[in-house]
Amino acid sequence: MPSGMIGLEGTFQGGKYVLPSLPYASDALEPFYDKRTVELHHGKHHAAYVAGLNKTLDQLDAARKAGDYASIRALSRNLAFNASGHILHSIFWRSMKPGGVAVMPDGLAMAMRESFGSVEAAKAQFAAAAKDVEASGWGLLAHEPAADRLVILQVERHEDLTIWGVTPLLACDVWEHAYYLKYANNRSEWVDNFLKIADWEFAAERLQAACR
Ligand code: MN
């Protein structure tokens, strides 16, 4: 399995992108993440990115066959938007674990100390970044391969403000659809609660694969 694939199992099958199953019951993240939001977020919002991605690929296929690239700018944008949305949501579902993870794996903790000074500083920067994303986007912990270090990104929409080549390790969705039903405009409380159920074991597994 290619190193970036951990957590992306079941996201592409039979020549099409597909909605991966949730790795837990839809009410398993209560009380931090409510059942109704999880169901809508997964079954409607994430599903829409999958559908949009497959549709865009069909349209690109048709454009190549017709030799008609009049819509290439819109199609290229839709490709980046929907594919990034699909990948980040797939990582997002795996970024949370019912009950959370009490002890962060050593490898991840060590990488955090090297990159940010301490685990607490890494968590504080992650929370601050996620809470302060302008409009819709993500707080993202990622591995940057050139320096072999961790970075924290504020992703706008799904595809803006990335560093090429990074491997996302832990993703916190801060689009309003991710939290508004339960938290209304209190994004800050959502981010704090996300960190209580963050799956640091999953992030550590992704990091280990990225460094292989
Ligand atoms: Mn979302």
Side-chain angles (χ1 to χ4, degrees):
M1 183 185 292
S3 64
M5 274 299 293
I6 292 170
L8 296 180
E9 302 91 346
T11 61
F12 184 85
Q13 282 168 358
K16 290 280 179 194
Y17 290 94
V18 294
L19 183 68
S21 313
L22 284 174
Y24 33 67
S26 57
D27 62 354
L29 301 171
E30 295 268 12
F32 304 111
Y33 208 22
D34 59 295
K35 179 176 195 277
R36 180 80 179 129
T37 303
V38 168
E39 286 173 351
L40 286 169
H41 195 180
H42 178 258
K44 301 291 182 189
H45 292 276
H46 186 173
Y49 298 122
V50 175
L53 176 53
N54 286 321
K55 181 181 170 192
T56 302
L57 289 170
D58 286 345
Q59 290 171 323
L60 282 164
D61 191 39
R64 280 190 301 275
K65 283 176 179 147
D68 176 2
Y69 292 105
S71 301
I72 193 63
R73 185 181 296 177
L75 292 175
S76 301
R77 281 181 175 160
N78 288 347
L79 177 63
F81 178 78
N82 287 299
S84 298
H86 178 37
I87 288 168
L88 286 184
H89 279 94
S90 300
I91 290 168
F92 171 67
W93 301 119
R94 295 286 303 271
S95 291
M96 297 173 288
K97 185 174 183 176
V101 170
V103 181
M104 187 178 292
D106 284 343
L108 179 60
M110 195 179 304
M112 282 184 170
R113 283 193 289 273
E114 283 169 7
S115 302
F116 305 109
S118 70
V119 169
E120 287 317 305
K123 286 185 184 174
Q125 185 182 331
F126 184 92
K131 291 172 186 180
D132 197 46
V133 170
E134 185 171 16
S136 297
W138 299 78
L140 198 72
L141 174 68
H143 173 260
E144 190 284 291
D148 185 23
R149 64 182 300 164
L150 303 182
V151 290
I152 290 163
L153 298 170
Q154 279 189 322
V155 179
E156 290 183 3
R157 290 159 40 96
H158 301 308
E159 72 282 34
D160 295 338
L161 305 188
T162 188
I163 300 172
W164 295 113
V166 302
T167 300
L169 305 178
L170 190 83
C172 177
D173 192 335
V174 294
W175 282 57
E176 287 183 350
H177 70 228
Y179 62 87
Y180 223 83
L181 269 183
K182 180 178 174 69
Y183 294 98
N185 60 337
N186 197 346
R187 181 194 284 181
S188 186
E189 191 184 354
W190 154 235
V191 172
D192 290 337
N193 279 336
F194 168 86
L195 284 171
K196 292 177 189 165
I197 49 173
D199 190 346
W200 300 111
E201 289 164 351
F202 172 68
E205 215 184 328
R206 296 263 303 166
L207 175 61
Q208 201 174 23
C211 293
R212 234 170 241 153

